Every structure is written in structure tokens, then in C-alpha cells.
Amino acid sequence: MNDRGDRGDRGEERAAALRARLGGIGYGGDYNPEQWPEEVWAEDVRLMAEAGVNLVSLGIFSWARVQPDPETFDWGWLDRVMDLLADGGIAVCLATMTASPPPWLARLHPETLPVRPDGSVLWPGARQHFTPSSEVYRDHATRLVERLATRYARHPALAAWHVGNEYGCHVSASYGEVDAVAFRGWLRRRYGTIDALNEAWSTTFWSQRYAAWDEITPPRQAPTFPNPAQRIDFRRFSSDALLECFLAEKEVLRRVTPDVPVTTNFVPLRDTLDLHAWARHEDVVSYDSYPDPADPGAHVAAAFAFDLLRSLKGGAPWLLLEQAPAAVNWRRVNRPKAPGQMRLWSWQAVGRGADAVMFFQWRASAGGAEKYHSAMVPHAGTGTRTFAEVRELGRELAAVPDLAGTRVRAPVALVLDWPSWWGLEQDSHPSALLRQQEANLAHYAPLFAAGVACDVVHPSAEVSGYRLVVVPNLYMITERDAANLAGYVRGGGHLLVSFFSGVADDRDRVHPGGAPGPLADVLGLRVAEFWPLAKDEHVEIEEAEPGWLGSGFGGVAHGSLWSEEVRLDAASPLATFASGVLAGRPAAARNRHGTGIAYYLATRPDPAAMASILARICREAGAAPDLPDLPEGAESVVRHAADGTRFAIVLNHNDKPVTVPLPPGGVDPRDGTDVVPPYRLDARGVLVVRYPA
Ligand code: GAL
């Protein structure tokens, strides 16, 4: 696997060129003109100007239209669309069109189709029906990309490349013969010898020892729990296989258009692709965000994903390439965004580092599976609430061009690692209830509520600049990454680790001595036995150090999900279990290590207790919010310009108005007026305040 990434490969320069080209925040959406007669295109471009659109993602599903059979290419219609957009001053993020192969590919090469663990085939008729390991698919894809890139290399509309579309969205792994061969190749490169593989996969267990590479298959449907190390390696391989598709196309684009930035839109946060491995290969990372308007907590999870996106490239701005203007079509019940909510959630992305706000899609489809998905131009036309909100947001974003390129500064980092996520959520564990994203959000939500900015980083990241590092549930950890975190604490950092972390190594073998493995020293404790809690079961916890659980609980709180028998070495107890078999034993502990402090939680304290614990640790660590004392349901983030100018983006997620405390001296960049108290935000309101350097 090419793991070099593109550091020093002018990625930032290309991203900056895109920014300069857009002259501010990018605004627009997926544009699928081939779904409409040509007469509509001119009206589209006119309406785009009216809506403030300066960027469209074009041609994402155009492969079958552009190449109706292997030897025929039809570019004429796309030439005309590109020209129209260039004339209208609209930049194009041109798709490589490879996300949905044309039907002829499957007819001529059925082996390109993906296969499920049970051997069933995923047929054409929807989209993403290719196995990433198919050389045939990759050859056809790169041949198309070569022609596309060559044709439009110097076209004035071309501003960026949009490779594929949401890699892994529907098919994140394939289990067929083509895949078995590729998996074996990947394993040979990783392990060198079959003995090394047997060792790494613990195959002496259940008589799984392999004598030859050809005996190895993907982890297909099996009588019971398949080998866990094999499954984690298959996840690594599957993420890499998709990445190789991306890299094969990127290689062509780089050769033909070396100065044009390359991106691919990541699916809404999930466990499929190892985004840390992917991001380094993109000039700018981009993301599709689809929070559920019916979920009152959706904006917290969305913020977490945005913070991750920003952190993937060390704080560089990212692009929100897709969101719904109102409703989606793929939930059981699809509620539209409430009035103002689309604007609110768009500004939330901008606040957390997005340099583009884009939608799926420009004009609502009349036919096909997404005809009930909202669009910037709805079926009912431009006299609609949605189009009015789209136009208004375009106007607002255009008024703040100097926001683009500014950066968020976070005092806290939360650690997330995809292989560990894969390991954590496998079967045959002490509890099937542990979920990575639940753990992330349980730790993130209190920081979000307090307005403390948080990056989301890999366990090997350089963390010495952070005040606090939070490890919600790092099930697998290498000695080296553990040494990174321990070194951070020794040097004066604050570290918070929750249970079932440091348990296994990167081959899913339990570390000697068990949990928390190589974190035992920095945490000053060992775990003797896990006592996971049933769904809805609680244990009482009481503080061992007065005030540690915060005020208002009488020193007693509840833990859920997990408990465990912890033996303290150097650490001292902060809280103890007060009910159940572990009554009297530590539930939380603190260890001074070098000049820093490490904290450990042996259960999941209830949300109120989590909030007090994190508030206290943040205080001790000196991790402060940009704007303190936000009312409940309000959010604020600050973006910093290189010249010292600051932009506070303050959001009200409530259905009622709130008043927020703001420092004086700010100007609303959208209309140039001074921002004066009381700083009132309407229901779902947005305040943008510029503070001069
Ligand atoms: C995304 C996809 C788009 C569209 C959208 C609908 O996953 O990239 O093409 O399908 O969802 O919400």
C-alpha cells in the first residue's frame, strides 16, 4: 500500500488556489444536468447566480451518459454545460464519474460486481456496484479519467477534481474470488511469511493454522465467530482497496492537471474507511453531512464530525460537499429541516472550519430513487421556502469572504483510531453494548456544551500543544502510541482515559497483564476483571475526593454500560462504586506522572456527572472555552485569521430565543454594523461577529 501521502506535495498550495479562485466560501451543490433537457441548463445557471452559487460538483453519475459503450464517448453535452458554467462565472468541481459503472461493464465483466460474505452478488441497477479490488473496474475507470482530464485540463470552469463519490457508502467490502486474491497479496506484503501471519492471527486457536496463502479467504459467512484478527486485517485491506481506486484515478489527474486540487467526499461519519489513512492523500478533505432534523441531539454528532474533518489535515479548512437543503428520502420518515435550520447547520460547519457549503443537489430529480430528496431548486420551484433560504444563505456567505482560510484553535484533542474502532465493535467481547461513537459523544458532548473547542486526532498525533487529551475508548493500542500519550503526560499534559482502553495490540492480541496494557504505567493502575453492565443497569458511584463529581449530586452519581475491578498502583481514587459487587472499589482515579496528570474512568458516569468531571479536568488543565457561559443549546466557535482577526460564530440550536454573552468591539461582517448588547439570538438564529486584530 502506498502510504507515503502527499505531505510536501503542494497540497496546501492547491487548496489555497481553489480558495483564491472562489474568492471566499464555496457555495453550491451537485449538479446533474443530464437529467434535464438542454433548455433547462441556461435557467439553471441564471438561478445559480441568483442563489449566490460559485461552485458545483458536476457529472458524478455521468459515466453511462458519457461512455454508452466501451468504444464510444459522448462529450458534446458536457462541453456545453462546462461552457455555460464558465460563462456564468461558476467554478466546477468536476467528478471523475466512476462511482456508478455503466451497465455494459457488468454485462462484459460480471466479475467486477461486489460479493457479500454469504456469496450473494450485488447486481447493477442501483449504484456503486463494483468491487474495489477488480483490476478490470480500475482499468476502465482510469481510462475514462484519462480522457476526461485531458479534455477539460485547460477548461476555464475546472477548479477541482471530485474523485468517485462517497467511497464505501454502499459497498465497503467485497468477499468474492477477485477479492480473495487481492487480500492474499495485501497479506503477503504485510506479513512476508505465512508463519508471521499465523502468529499475528493467533491461528493455533480452533485449528485455524494456514499452510499456504491460497487457503486464506476473506472472512466469509462462517459457522460462528470468524477469526477477529483476520476480520480487522480485512477491514484494513478493504479501506486500502478503495483507497487504491482513489489513488489510481488521482495518479492520472496529477499527471494531466498537476495544479488542480483533488478531493473525494467522505460519507457521514462511520466505521468504514480509515480516514486518517485517506486524508493525507487529498489536497483538501471534504464531507457529506446528513443529520436527522427529527433528532434533537443531531447537531452535537455533526459538530464532532466537523471537528474530525478539520483535524484530519492538521486544522486546514475542509469542504462541506453535500447536505440536504430540507428533507432526505432515505430514512423511514423524512422530516424537512425546520425554517432556519439549514442556515444554522450550514454556519455550524463553517464555524468548525468548512470553507464550502454545498448541497445534494441543485435541482430536484423528477425520476429515480432520489426524487423525494430535497434540492436547492425544489419540484415546486423558486417560490418556495427552500429556495428563499438557499438564496439568503448564499447572500450571507458571500458577505464574509475573509472567513475562508481561517482556522479554529482547539485546546483539547480527542483520540480516535479506525482499526481500534473495528476491533472494539467485534463480537465475542465482554459486552456487545460498547460502541465507539457512543463513547466519543459521551466525552465530546460536555466539551461541546461548554464551548471548549476540540480536535479529533490519531493516537500517534503530536499532542504536546493541547491542554487536555481525551481517550474515550481506545480498545487497541500499540506500545508506540501508548508511549506517545505517556510522554505527553510526563511532559506536563492532562490525559483522560475511559475503560476498555489499551486492552489489545494492533493484531487484537491482549497485551501482557491485560488492560490497560501499555497505558498501565501512565494511569498508575491495572484492571483485574471486567464487570460489564446490562442495558439499563446502573451502579452508584460516590466521590472519594470531595467535590470531584461536582455539586448538585450530593457526591453521588450513576454509572452505566460498564464497571470493572481496578487495582490502583500509583493512582489515587477520585470516586468509588457505591453499589453492586464492586462497592467500595475505585470507579475513577488520578495519577500524577512526570509533570502531568492522567485520569481514568472505570464506568460511564451519567451525562450530568460527565459534564462536571470534564469541566473540572478542563479547569485543571487550563482548557478554556472561547466564549464562556453560553446558555444551554447555544454553540460558539472562533475562527482565527493569520492577521489576528477573529470571527465568532454563535448559534442557537433552541426553538426559542437566547441571549449570549459576547465580548464588546465586534462587527457583524454581513452588514458592517456594530454588534451591541443584548446579544440576542432568535430561535435557530446565527450571529457572526468579526473582532479586529
Ligand atoms: C449521498 C450521495 C448523494 C446522494 C445523497 C442523498 O450519500 O453522495 O449522491 O445520494 O446521499 O442524501
Side-chain angles (χ1 to χ4, degrees), residues 269-320:
L269 184 58
R270 56 168 105 147
D271 65 346
T272 45
L273 306 181
D274 180 348
L275 297 192
H276 286 122
W278 277 67
R280 66 173 79 108
H281 298 284
E282 295 182 70
D283 295 317
V284 53
V285 292
S286 49
Y287 184 66
D288 298 347
S289 180
Y290 288 96
D292 185 354
D295 172 2
H299 61 284
V300 182
F304 177 79
F306 297 163
D307 289 348
L308 165 72
L309 265 281
R310 183 187 67 237
S311 310
L312 285 175
K313 282 186 98 65
W318 54 280
L319 311 176
L320 175 62

Side-chain angles (χ1 to χ4, degrees), residues 30 32 60-61 127-128 162 165-167 169-170 265-268 270 288-290 322-324 327-330 359-361 370 373-374:
D30 282 19
N32 298 308
I60 296 174
F61 297 105
R127 63 177 176 184
Q128 223 173 71
H162 178 297
N165 187 65
E166 289 197 343
Y167 278 103
C169 166
H170 307 299
N265 51 337
F266 292 141
V267 281
R270 56 168 105 147
D288 298 347
S289 180
Y290 288 96
E322 284 185 29
Q323 61 171 336
V328 299
N329 65 309
W330 40 261
F359 298 89
F360 177 84
Q361 61 177 327
E370 296 187 318
H373 194 291
S374 61

Side-chain angles (χ1 to χ4, degrees), residues 649-685:
I649 288 140
V650 192
L651 311 167
N652 179 13
H653 293 282
N654 296 295
D655 289 333
K656 55 179 195 317
V658 292
T659 302
V660 289
L662 277 179
V667 170
D668 186 337
R670 294 166 299 179
D671 56 15
T673 57
D674 289 344
V675 181
V676 291
Y679 306 110
R680 208 185 102 100
L681 275 160
D682 294 336
R684 297 187 286 274

